Amino acid sequence: MKKDLHPSNYRLVVFKDMSNDYSFMTKSCIDTRESIKWEDGNEYPLIKLEISHTSHPFYTGKMKLVDTAGRIDKFRTRYNKK
């Protein structure tokens, strides 16, 4: 195997799905500035997710409506002032 191929800074990290407040802990080497107090009383780095397996339509079987039209209208009204 090649030396120094894989990162060496793996640690426990909490991932939180912001759409339904589901959290899980796993090992990762991703950098973050936020942290959260976990169930065991220790503080761990926090990664916020927009979607996870608990909120993804493929796994849940429910379609989730995303308000893209509202965002587009806001953009057009903001930058259409000529």
Side-chain angles (χ1 to χ4, degrees), residues 12-57:
L12 289 173
V13 176
V14 176
F15 288 87
K16 183 174 183 178
D17 185 350
M18 299 310 290
S19 64
N20 61 5
D21 288 334
Y22 174 75
S23 300
F24 60 95
M25 187 182 339
T26 187
K27 285 190 170 187
S28 177
C29 62
I30 193 167
D31 291 328
T32 182
R33 293 182 179 159
E34 297 182 65
S35 63
I36 190 171
K37 194 168 212 172
W38 190 243
E39 300 161 353
D40 61 1
N42 294 328
E43 209 162 297
Y44 296 100
L46 173 67
I47 303 295
K48 294 180 179 178
L49 304 172
E50 292 184 24
I51 196 161
S52 72
H53 69 282
T54 59
S55 62
H56 194 280

